[in-house]
Amino acid sequence: MPATQKPMRYGHTEGHTDVCFDDSGSFIVTCGSDGDVRIWEDLDDDDPKSINVGEKAFSCALKNGKLVTAVSNNTVQVYTFPEGVPDGILTRFTTNANHVVFNGDGTKIAAGSSDFLVKVVDVMDNSQQQTFRGHDAPVLSLSFDPKDIFLASSSCDGTVRVWNISDQACAISWPVLQKCNDVVNAKSLCRLAWQPGTGKLLAVPVEKSVKLYRRETWSNPFDLSDSSISQTLSIVTWSPCGQYLAAGTINGLIVVWNVETKDCMERVKHEKGYAICGLAWHPTCGRICYTDVEGNLGILENVCDLRGKVSTHKVSSRVEKDYNDLFDGDDTSSGGDFLNDNAVEIPPFSKGVMNDDDDDDDDLMLTADRLRRRSHVLGDDENSVDAPMLKTDLHKEEGEDDQAGSIHNLPLTKSQRLFYDGPMPTPRQKPFQSGSTPLHLSHRFMVWNSIGIIRCYNDDQDSAIDVEFHDTSIHHATHLSNTFNYTMGTLSHEAILLACESTDELASKLHCLHFSSWDSSKEWIVDMPQNEDIEAICLGQGWAAAATTALLLRLFTIGGVQKEVFSLPGPVVSMAGHGEQLCIVYHRGTGFDGDQCLGVQLLELGQKKNQVLHGDPLPLTRKSYLTWLGFSAEGTPCYVDSEGCVRMLNRGLGNTWTPVCNIREHCKGKSDHYWVVGIHENPQQLRCIPCKGSRFPPTLPRPAVAILSFKLPYCQTTTEKGQMEEQFWHSVLFHNYLDYLAKNGYDYEENIKNQAVKEQQELLMKMLALSCKLEREFRCVELASLMTPNAVNLAIKYASRSRKLILAQKLSDLAAEKAAELAEAQTEEEKEEDFRMKLNAGHTTTEWSQPRARNQVEEDTEDREETVPEEKPEPHNHGSNLLQNANSPDVPALKSGAVFSSSQGRVNPFKVLVNSKEPTVSMSSTRSTNILDNMNKSSRKSTPLIRPANNEKSPVIKPLVPKPKSKQTSAASYFQKRTSQADQSEEVKENPKNSSSETPAMCLQNSENQRPKTGFQMWLEENRSHILCDNPDFSDEADIIKEGMIRFRVLSAEERKAWTNKAKGEIASDGAEAKKRKHEMCEAENQEEATKENMDLSKKQKSSALSTNQKLSAFAFKQE
């Protein structure tokens, strides 16, 4: 099995780094150019203990609880391990000490310096020193003979020397290295090493090979090399058994040889090819730690399968023990404990192979007998094994595996087949508070959020809590004593909430400091029931929540009143609150293969309590866990997983989760992380604290907050199209909160919404223009479907100018569909209003339907005057929207009616028309409420029987004196028109040609009133008849305009300029002529209305005034 290389992590700042193990192999100790010594429990330890020993640390060694370091202040210092307490200075040099090593029993250290000296010092009595002189350049490295007779050293003078420790004489010297003047200029560190145990061989890295010198004879029997080595070897280390030798090169290659066979066993390349400067072999297993010149730390597992054999036995033994529990009756024999770990001691790999064949046979027969008896219980299946076959297989495996010397684990490979071999369950993530650091730290953050910071100090001298607010106007900083050992805390604009777990004497407590309270009692404490501990807490606006081990969520008011209590579907992981929203993440099941199985609930705790998310699965990156849960400052739920993926709730897409940032993309190293403290949507900011080589920051010094940008994971964002797509949906997602605020009655700045819409429409127009250039017209229509009506009109103009006539036609159809949908939506709203009005008018028992006296009529009409105008702006606005949407020439008949009504202004509601269908087609239902507007405005100056003309300056028509009958007729016609949109659409279908022919004329008339004519418009008016004569099949205004544009472009530049100048010359006279035409039209229509009303009045006598007024009152209240 090849060695497993774990990803490297940050250990120290850039520069030379050294590494070693403690005696048991439980800790990894590193030192670097930052002057720190760090003690790691494992490579994944995000909180190593750090000891500052000086400005720079060049080397470290550890033995018998003594940590020795070579420091840049020219001293060799000693510290206690693992406490890190300084224990004195062993020796001094005139310059830096480059390397320090222990002897075999840890009683002496050897140190080499750049002042050419080597010293051997007694650890317990530093006065006992020996100095070795003879090198002519700085000393590079040292190595003690395991028998404490010799000391080997290498130097920049190019020599490797072996010293006799007793007389301090040089036994031998080999000039095998390249000479240099200083350690920093040395091509190789030449970290040599003696073979453990006997010290038979001395390994020296020279160029691209390792030279091995035999003890006392100092001959060079052989060298170790490999074709994969392309750069100079710099460092070597032996396995504890002395059978294997590992070496590292200056380009990051690690090679392992079997010294006896001279075979290369492992070849591992550094991730980035940095030079290896530290190499240490685990004292008991096949694990190698290494460091590079950039300060990174790495580990190789299962080197040469040394650890693999031992671990296999342990796993098999554990499985076998579980299996034995099924057969209690069969395990009463004397061999029942044979396979237990406690009964059999596994011989280490360094002891060689067992040679007692008789004992082996006895063990094998015993094991075979046990397995055979189990096969009778299980029945004859594929896992059943009889004794002869088993023994043959075991002897065969023994021959193949004679290096390990552990025979007891061999028969267990058969029994493992009886067990589950599928995906393994993932341990459940423990509950945590977002924005907090681990509990085991003596100084930690209880919370860091957008409101403030809560720090907890828990050491031997003091246990306290400090609260700091980002905005001191909310509250001043507070210092609290932590007598109850609070472990959880959170912070809001109103209160501080703390919680602790239960102890043998005290119950779990919830402690709230309501600093925004207006009374003098600002604290309250609630004890949880017995055997119920708080696991997570959060605060909202006016409420607090606590989740407990009893799978309950308890709600409290901010003043301490207990509110609802409800059960959670699973153990809580984390909670967050914001305003009226409460977000809960819990375990909804068991995850497998490293994945967590989490669910999320989102509740609204306002006046109308609502559950938005009903325990939906919480998406996480593969093999990750939840690290942060909260809300943005604007109230959108967000969370972060351990792989750095930030996700936000997309309310505009059915409450789905959208990834908005990958923090790992901003990290420089694999061991670097960002610790999230807050998210803002306006401005768009992800607030984090950068953590070098850790997942969380220290409390001191105060960490600095960095701001990261959001980026949605869209494809091909390097292209212009991909960038604009990401920007558009980015803008849509990060402005969904405005709709949520508006829906729930919160205040927000309207200009932010308008600016966002403007930005989105600009992006859509740019994407449409890009698609036009790429001849992607179908894509253009898809983009236009996301636009507002005004933007669609601009798109139509762009398509026309780009001579994309088919595209312009499709966009015109799309604009018509949007207008029809808008009108239909408005009609549905009006239908609902009409239905409610009729229901109110149909109740005869109400006071509205009772006869009223004559003197109440004027009061009633004034009351209507106050209520009806409130309904007026909404249909008027929709009418104006339809008018804006009608800029496109391709408008359907339904839309033409709306445009016709809008362009003509107010319509006289009292006019009796010969054909009642014509106004039904021409008048839009959205403008029908103007009947009430006209009646109200004329009622203030009228008597119950006689009304003068309305004095309001209407742009089109002034209503005449109304007659009771004409009013009733108009009201009846009004209700008839509003009852069914389907009737209106059927009448439109009956006269499609008339509608389509009226529409262009009305559009042109409307455009005349809005803006001055262009030269093309004037040319088109004069040449319209010629175009229609040449193309009699043209029935649509769009076709006429297209043909006109083609002919207008054919004209010479002088002719087009002449038409343009002509248009500019007539601008000044347009206003007066328009007013004159309107005045003539008003007079003609008024005269016609007066004639018709007089004729109707002569045909039928007027009813009583009281009856008329009663009907008017009933009509008015029906409209309400």
Side-chain angles (χ1 to χ4, degrees):
M1 178 180 177
T4 303
Q5 183 181 20
K6 288 189 175 183
M8 299 194 72
R9 65 163 300 149
Y10 170 85
H12 297 270
T13 57
E14 179 182 351
H16 176 81
T17 313
D18 201 8
V19 62
C20 64
F21 282 99
D22 71 330
D23 297 335
S24 63
S26 303
F27 296 98
I28 305 168
V29 180
T30 61
C31 68
S33 58
D34 52 8
D36 289 339
V37 173
R38 293 197 170 96
I39 303 171
W40 313 76
E41 293 182 3
D42 198 0
L43 191 65
D44 298 329
D45 184 6
D46 288 327
D47 185 31
K49 184 173 183 178
S50 184
I51 306 169
N52 186 265
V53 296
E55 185 177 348
K56 288 185 179 182
F58 298 106
S59 179
C60 63
L62 178 59
K63 202 88 169 180
N64 298 340
K66 297 290 185 179
L67 175 63
V68 176
T69 59
V71 195
S72 57
N73 61 358
N74 307 342
T75 63
V76 175
Q77 303 174 4
V78 61
Y79 295 82
T80 61
F81 181 85
E83 295 82 8
V85 178
D87 199 20
I89 296 176
L90 289 180
T91 186
R92 296 179 184 273
F93 293 94
T94 58
T95 183
N96 296 334
N98 300 321
H99 195 209
V100 59
V101 291
F102 270 103
N103 65 347
D105 56 8
T107 58
K108 297 179 180 179
I109 63 104
S113 170
S114 293
D115 60 4
F116 312 167
L117 298 180
V118 176
K119 290 184 180 182
V120 175
V121 185
D122 190 286
V123 175
M124 303 306 296
D125 183 8
N126 61 355
S127 62
Q128 302 293 325
Q129 294 190 13
Q130 293 175 293
T131 303
F132 299 81
R133 293 179 171 86
H135 283 297
D136 299 326
V139 178
L140 290 172
S141 68
L142 301 167
S143 179
F144 264 110
D145 169 25
K147 296 183 178 181
D148 277 354
I149 298 176
F150 299 106
L151 175 69
S153 64
S154 61
S155 171
C156 292
D157 60 8
T159 64
V160 173
R161 294 173 180 259
V162 178
W163 308 85
N164 193 315
I165 299 177
S166 60
D167 58 5
Q168 304 174 28
C170 178
I172 189 71
S173 176
W174 299 290
V176 292
L177 305 177
Q178 288 188 3
K179 292 183 179 182
C180 59
N181 59 359
D182 198 1
V183 176
V184 296
N185 299 323
K187 191 174 183 181
S188 165
L189 292 176
C190 193
R191 289 288 164 89
L192 35 77
W194 290 89
Q195 185 178 22
T198 61
K200 184 186 297 184
L201 296 173
L202 173 64
V204 181
V206 178
E207 295 296 333
K208 298 179 183 179
S209 65
V210 178
K211 292 185 177 294
L212 289 126
Y213 295 95
R214 192 174 299 277
R215 181 189 183 88
E216 294 181 350
T217 63
W218 313 123
S219 61
N220 178 213
F222 59 91
D223 295 346
L224 297 176
S225 185
D226 188 72
S227 59
S228 62
I229 301 176
S230 59
Q231 295 289 332
T232 302
L233 291 167
S234 179
I235 184 171
V236 296
T237 186
W238 290 85
S239 66
C241 63
Q243 185 177 354
Y244 300 99
L245 181 69
T249 68
I250 60 174
N251 66 341
L253 179 66
I254 298 177
V255 184
V256 181
W257 291 276
N258 185 326
V259 178
E260 293 183 5
T261 63
K262 304 180 184 59
D263 295 331
C264 183
M265 308 297 292
E266 305 284 359
R267 301 179 187 87
V268 180
K269 192 75 173 69
H270 188 285
E271 297 173 359
K272 298 183 179 179
Y274 296 148
I276 305 297
C277 58
L279 207 59
W281 204 304
H282 194 279
T284 60
C285 68
R287 173 186 293 182
I288 294 178
C289 274
Y290 61 97
T291 54
D292 60 30
V293 293
E294 294 294 323
N296 299 312
L297 171 65
I299 287 182
L300 298 181
E301 299 278 5
N302 301 323
V303 180
C304 299
D305 282 339
L306 298 181
R307 180 63 175 167
K309 292 182 175 59
V310 179
S311 62
T312 301
H313 171 82
K314 290 186 177 180
V315 172
S316 302
S317 301
R318 184 172 60 253
V319 172
E320 188 71 19
K321 183 176 181 180
D322 296 338
Y323 187 58
N324 287 339
D325 294 339
L326 299 175
F327 304 95
D328 295 336
D330 295 335
D331 291 340
T332 57
S333 63
S334 59
D337 293 332
F338 176 73
L339 292 174
N340 292 341
D341 288 337
N342 297 331
V344 179
E345 181 180 356
I346 306 302
F349 59 84
S350 59
K351 292 184 179 180
V353 181
M354 296 174 63
N355 297 321
D356 191 349
D357 295 336
D358 295 337
D359 294 342
D360 294 348
D361 293 340
D362 293 341
D363 293 342
L364 295 176
M365 290 302 295
L366 179 59
T367 305
D369 180 67
R370 289 174 56 80
L371 289 176
R372 183 167 58 252
R373 286 190 285 112
R374 289 176 181 172
S375 67
H376 293 312
V377 178
L378 295 172
D380 294 332
D381 58 9
E382 62 180 6
N383 296 321
S384 300
V385 185
D386 58 18
M389 183 181 299
L390 178 64
K391 189 168 183 177
T392 304
D393 292 341
L394 292 178
H395 279 296
K396 181 179 180 180
E397 292 182 13
E398 179 188 354
E400 295 174 353
D401 214 24
D402 56 353
Q403 291 292 338
S406 178
I407 304 174
H408 304 297
N409 64 334
L410 296 177
L412 304 181
T413 56
K414 297 292 183 181
S415 64
Q416 286 182 4
R417 298 179 187 173
L418 301 172
F419 295 92
Y420 174 71
D421 194 26
M424 299 303 294
T426 305
R428 287 184 172 180
Q429 179 181 357
K430 295 181 180 179
F432 71 95
Q433 287 292 121
S434 292
S436 66
T437 51
L439 289 173
H440 68 270
L441 300 176
S442 58
H443 293 187
R444 58 182 288 262
F445 291 110
M446 297 181 76
V447 70
W448 184 322
N449 58 20
S450 58
I451 307 299
I453 306 170
I454 302 180
R455 294 183 182 88
C456 178
Y457 303 95
N458 189 9
D459 49 30
D460 297 336
Q461 300 175 353
D462 188 18
S463 181
I465 294 174
D466 286 343
V467 183
E468 173 188 342
F469 293 85
H470 300 316
D471 184 0
T472 54
S473 64
I474 299 175
H475 197 265
H476 58 78
T478 305
H479 180 82
L480 307 171
S481 61
N482 191 10
T483 55
F484 291 110
N485 192 24
Y486 292 118
T487 57
M488 290 163 275
T490 188
L491 195 62
S492 73
H493 290 284
E494 298 176 312
I496 302 167
L497 191 64
L498 304 171
C500 66
E501 299 177 348
S502 63
T503 61
D504 295 338
E505 298 83 12
L506 299 175
S508 179
K509 297 179 182 295
L510 185 68
H511 185 183
C512 180
L513 287 83
H514 184 200
F515 56 78
S516 65
S517 174
W518 47 265
D519 65 359
S520 59
S521 301
K522 298 181 181 297
E523 293 187 37
W524 53 268
I525 298 179
V526 173
D527 289 349
M528 295 296 110
Q530 190 176 4
N531 298 326
E532 184 175 344
D533 283 354
I534 298 174
E535 292 188 309
I537 57 175
C538 68
L539 281 170
Q541 186 175 359
W543 57 267
T548 68
T549 54
L551 300 186
L552 293 177
L553 191 135
R554 300 179 178 273
L555 291 174
F556 302 84
T557 65
I558 201 68
V561 179
Q562 297 189 60
K563 295 180 67 178
E564 294 88 350
V565 178
F566 61 91
S567 295
L568 295 174
V572 69
V573 176
S574 189
M575 292 198 309
H578 183 278
E580 298 175 349
Q581 301 179 85
L582 169 62
C583 186
I584 312 163
V585 173
Y586 59 90
H587 290 285
R588 61 190 298 267
T590 301
F592 288 87
D593 285 343
D595 296 332
Q596 296 288 331
C597 183
L598 305 182
V600 58
Q601 287 184 344
L602 180 61
L603 297 91
E604 294 178 349
L605 305 177
Q607 295 292 334
K608 297 180 180 179
K609 294 179 173 58
N610 180 35
Q611 187 169 1
V612 181
L613 297 177
H614 302 75
D616 300 346
L618 188 73
L620 291 172
T621 309
R622 289 297 310 274
K623 300 184 184 301
S624 69
Y625 53 90
L626 186 67
T627 57
W628 188 87
L629 174 69
F631 290 84
S632 68
E634 291 73 19
T636 304
C638 309
Y639 68 93
V640 186
D641 62 30
S642 58
E643 292 299 318
C645 183
V646 183
R647 292 178 176 88
M648 178 179 290
L649 187 70
N650 190 346
R651 301 185 193 271
L653 194 62
N655 292 324
T656 55
W657 296 96
T658 300
V660 295
C661 180
N662 187 357
I663 299 178
R664 298 297 303 167
E665 294 180 354
H666 299 270
C667 296
K668 296 181 179 179
K670 287 188 176 181
S671 58
D672 297 343
H673 296 86
Y674 280 95
W675 195 63
V676 178
V677 296
I679 294 177
H680 293 253
E681 294 178 83
N682 185 29
Q684 297 177 14
Q685 293 178 349
L686 177 60
R687 297 176 179 266
C688 305
I689 295 174
C691 304
K692 189 78 170 176
S694 178
R695 287 188 176 272
F696 46 84
T699 55
L700 293 174
R702 181 189 176 97
V705 178
I707 296 177
L708 305 183
S709 59
F710 295 101
K711 183 179 180 182
L712 275 62
Y714 276 80
C715 303
Q716 296 179 330
T717 51
T718 55
T719 63
E720 186 179 5
K721 171 180 173 291
Q723 287 177 359
M724 289 190 291
E725 288 170 341
E726 192 274 338
Q727 292 171 8
F728 172 76
W729 292 111
H730 185 121
S731 176
V732 170
L733 177 63
F734 278 84
H735 290 93
N736 281 340
Y737 78 92
L738 295 173
D739 297 331
Y740 174 79
L741 295 178
K743 178 182 176 182
N744 290 272
Y746 293 99
D747 294 333
Y748 66 94
E749 297 182 14
E750 189 68 30
N751 61 335
I752 297 177
K753 176 82 171 177
N754 297 335
Q755 183 65 29
V757 172
K758 179 182 177 182
E759 175 189 348
Q760 294 163 16
Q761 299 307 310
E762 288 178 355
L763 287 168
L764 288 173
M765 285 300 300
K766 290 179 181 178
M767 286 190 282
L768 184 137
L770 181 62
S771 300
C772 273
K773 293 178 181 178
L774 299 176
E775 302 294 332
R776 297 280 188 178
E777 297 188 9
F778 187 86
R779 184 182 294 170
C780 292
V781 178
E782 291 177 326
L783 291 169
S785 64
L786 302 172
M787 296 180 180
T788 60
N790 289 336
V792 175
N793 292 335
L794 291 176
I796 295 172
K797 293 180 180 179
Y798 181 85
S800 301
R801 292 173 182 173
S802 302
R803 300 186 180 181
K804 308 282 187 183
L805 300 183
I806 298 177
L807 176 60
Q809 177 66 34
K810 294 293 184 181
L811 294 178
S812 299
D813 296 340
L814 179 63
E817 291 177 7
K818 284 181 175 288
E821 290 174 1
L822 187 62
E824 184 178 356
Q826 177 64 20
T827 304
E828 291 296 331
E829 293 178 3
E830 292 180 351
K831 283 183 180 180
E832 294 178 3
E833 292 178 3
D834 291 343
F835 181 71
R836 288 194 295 267
M837 291 178 188
K838 291 180 180 180
L839 287 178
N840 293 334
H843 293 291
T844 58
T845 58
T846 60
E847 61 176 358
W848 291 348
S849 60
Q850 296 176 358
R852 294 170 182 259
R854 179 178 300 185
N855 58 2
Q856 294 176 344
V857 174
E858 186 171 355
E859 181 181 353
D860 293 338
T861 55
E862 290 178 357
D863 291 340
R864 281 180 64 258
E865 213 174 350
E866 295 174 0
T867 58
V868 174
E870 294 178 1
E871 302 175 359
K872 176 182 174 183
E874 183 176 358
H876 179 71
N877 290 338
H878 285 293
S880 64
N881 289 336
L882 290 174
L883 181 60
Q884 292 176 0
N885 294 338
N887 291 336
S888 170
D890 296 335
V891 183
L894 178 62
K895 186 180 172 186
S896 68
V899 175
F900 180 80
S901 174
S902 299
S903 62
Q904 293 298 323
R906 298 185 184 273
V907 179
N908 186 2
F910 309 106
K911 181 172 64 176
V912 179
L913 302 176
V914 178
N915 186 0
S916 62
K917 290 184 178 180
E918 292 179 2
T920 305
V921 176
S922 61
M923 289 172 55
S924 171
S925 62
T926 59
R927 291 293 297 168
S928 299
T929 52
N930 286 332
I931 298 169
L932 299 180
D933 298 342
N934 293 329
M935 293 176 63
N936 291 336
K937 293 190 177 183
S938 62
S939 62
R940 286 194 175 183
K941 297 182 181 180
S942 64
T943 63
L945 297 178
I946 303 173
R947 292 189 189 184
N950 191 351
N951 293 331
E952 181 184 356
K953 294 182 180 180
S954 174
V956 180
I957 299 174
K958 295 182 180 180
L960 298 175
V961 178
K963 296 294 186 290
K965 180 180 177 182
S966 62
K967 183 197 302 180
Q968 296 171 8
T969 306
S970 178
S973 173
Y974 170 71
F975 280 113
Q976 181 181 2
K977 286 180 287 183
R978 292 181 56 139
T979 52
S980 175
Q981 182 70 20
D983 297 339
Q984 187 177 7
S985 61
E986 289 177 1
E987 292 169 2
V988 172
K989 291 180 180 178
E990 290 177 1
N991 299 315
K993 294 183 178 179
N994 295 336
S995 300
S996 61
S997 63
E998 287 178 2
T999 302
M1002 296 306 104
C1003 290
L1004 289 174
Q1005 184 176 354
N1006 185 32
S1007 62
E1008 287 178 359
N1009 296 334
Q1010 289 183 351
R1011 62 175 66 88
K1013 293 181 181 179
T1014 63
F1016 170 70
Q1017 289 177 334
M1018 296 188 65
W1019 179 89
L1020 183 63
E1021 289 179 1
E1022 293 193 9
N1023 293 272
R1024 179 184 297 274
S1025 57
H1026 299 292
I1027 296 174
L1028 291 175
C1029 290
D1030 297 339
N1031 301 277
D1033 56 335
F1034 281 2
S1035 60
D1036 196 350
E1037 179 67 14
D1039 298 331
I1040 299 174
I1041 292 176
K1042 292 172 186 175
E1043 180 65 24
M1045 291 176 66
I1046 295 173
R1047 295 190 181 188
F1048 189 73
R1049 290 193 183 102
V1050 175
L1051 299 177
S1052 62
E1054 291 78 8
E1055 292 175 330
R1056 291 198 298 269
K1057 188 174 181 180
W1059 281 105
T1060 303
N1061 294 333
K1062 184 178 180 181
K1064 291 180 180 178
E1066 293 188 2
I1067 290 175
S1069 61
D1070 283 347
E1073 293 179 0
K1075 291 181 180 179
K1076 184 177 181 181
R1077 287 197 298 270
K1078 291 179 183 177
H1079 182 67
E1080 292 175 355
M1081 291 172 63
C1082 290
E1083 289 183 351
E1085 189 168 349
N1086 291 344
Q1087 185 176 1
E1088 183 181 357
E1089 289 180 2
T1091 304
K1092 291 183 180 180
E1093 289 177 359
N1094 291 332
M1095 291 174 63
D1096 293 337
L1097 185 61
S1098 63
K1099 291 180 182 179
K1100 187 173 181 178
Q1101 294 295 328
K1102 180 176 69 174
S1103 59
S1104 65
L1106 181 60
S1107 175
T1108 302
N1109 291 329
Q1110 288 175 354
K1111 293 179 180 180
L1112 178 60
S1113 300
F1115 171 76
F1117 281 96
K1118 286 179 183 179
Q1119 303 312 304
E1120 293 175 357

